[in-house]
Amino acid sequence: GAVVSQHPSRVICKSGTSVKIECRSLDFQATTMFWYRQFPKQSLMLMATSNEGSKATYEQGVEKDKFLINHASLTLSTLTVTSAHPEDSSFYICSASRGLAGGIKYNEQFFGPGTRLTVL
Amino acid sequence: AQSVTQLDSQVPVFEEAPVELRCNYSSSVSVYLFWYVQYPNQGLQLLLKYLSGSTLVKGINGFEAEFNKSQTSFHLRKPSVHISDTAEYFCAVSVILTGGGNKLTFGTGTQLKVEL
């Protein structure tokens, strides 16, 4: 259980175009989804946190108009990179977590396999 | 704010030798601690986690880690590594967000390279 998928796994696009990446929780309902960005040989940097049905919360320095996040259902979140440029090329990883219940304070994140974006 | 330090960017080790990957953290509040493994071009897989209780935590693939509050450390160990353990390892801390939920902060990662 707790499988998260991402689509596409790889995408190459031209500069100026927009790219949409999907993140799906396949066997559980994800109350919260997270989007990370990872540069080569570097750590994961949290871009934004999204809760189903509400606006995403972006980390400092992340342009919300450039990285549009939609969490329309409990199993799907999308990240759209608008007007992509070569500097947006990166590995984008999503994660998903279930809702907190029963007084549990910790909410494990389950990670997707990532999407490699290359902007030419 | 919390932070995670992984001092070793690369750790070469021979197969069947023991290994320790170091992780230190700082936080003004209680944290949960994690180790993740990432194989090339893949997402993250949870190796183990410390939430509470026993400070020695056992995870998958023969890995274990010990939480040391006084030294603010959470080092990862394996007594005998295998070629298949070659991967990037990330230490992470999680704090509870206002309003619920958790936020992960990752270290910079340690590349474990197992050689014959």
Side-chain angles (χ1 to χ4, degrees):
Chain A
V3 179
V4 176
S5 70
Q6 280 185 243
H7 178 79
S9 58
R10 292 176 178 270
V11 57
I12 301 173
C13 69
K14 293 182 179 179
S15 185
T17 61
S18 295
V19 175
K20 180 183 285 188
I21 302 170
E22 293 186 349
C23 177
R24 293 181 184 274
S25 57
L26 299 184
D27 52 3
F28 69 100
Q29 293 187 325
T31 305
T32 306
M33 287 186 168
F34 303 82
W35 286 95
Y36 296 86
R37 182 174 181 176
Q38 185 180 30
F39 290 103
K41 300 189 182 300
Q42 293 189 31
S43 188
L44 281 74
M45 301 300 295
L46 179 65
M47 298 174 67
T49 304
S50 73
N51 292 297
E52 184 265 340
S54 60
K55 291 184 178 180
T57 301
Y58 289 81
E59 294 298 300
Q60 192 172 6
V62 178
E63 299 176 61
K64 61 181 181 181
D65 294 330
K66 180 164 186 64
F67 299 99
L68 300 178
I69 292 172
N70 184 282
H71 192 164
S73 77
L74 286 172
T75 60
L76 174 65
S77 176
T78 59
L79 167 67
T80 301
V81 183
T82 62
S83 187
H85 288 90
E87 58 266 29
D88 299 324
S89 298
S90 191
F91 194 52
Y92 292 88
I93 302 176
C94 74
S95 70
S97 61
R98 299 183 178 95
L100 295 172
I104 298 173
K105 292 184 177 181
Y106 165 65
N107 207 358
E108 182 171 349
Q109 292 184 31
F110 300 96
F111 286 82
T115 296
R116 174 75 60 191
L117 170 63
T118 302
V119 184
L120 302 176
Chain B
Q2 62 283 347
S3 66
V4 180
T5 302
Q6 291 180 250
L7 288 173
D8 305 308
S9 60
Q10 290 188 359
V11 173
V13 62
F14 288 109
E15 191 174 35
E16 297 184 3
V19 70
E20 179 179 80
L21 305 184
R22 297 181 294 169
C23 173
N24 289 87
Y25 70 93
S26 67
S27 176
S28 57
V29 298
S30 295
V31 296
Y32 303 129
L33 295 158
F34 308 84
W35 276 99
Y36 288 89
V37 60
Q38 184 182 33
Y39 298 99
N41 295 310
Q42 293 187 29
L44 272 66
Q45 181 182 8
L46 180 66
L47 276 178
L48 47 78
K49 60 181 180 280
Y50 171 78
L51 304 181
S52 64
S54 173
T55 56
L56 183 62
V57 180
K58 293 189 182 299
I60 62 172
N61 301 340
F63 284 94
E64 63 180 30
E66 185 156 20
F67 170 58
N68 188 319
K69 188 174 183 179
S70 62
Q71 296 186 7
T72 61
S73 67
F74 191 54
H75 301 331
L76 180 70
R77 297 191 293 258
K78 186 169 182 178
S80 176
V81 295
H82 189 268
I83 286 287
S84 60
D85 292 323
T86 296
E88 189 83 18
Y89 291 80
F90 291 97
C91 181
V93 299
S94 176
V95 295
I96 300 173
L97 299 171
T98 302
N102 309 99
K103 176 178 175 178
L104 282 172
T105 299
F106 288 89
T108 51
T110 298
Q111 175 67 41
L112 175 63
K113 185 173 182 181
V114 182
E115 302 168 350
L116 292 172

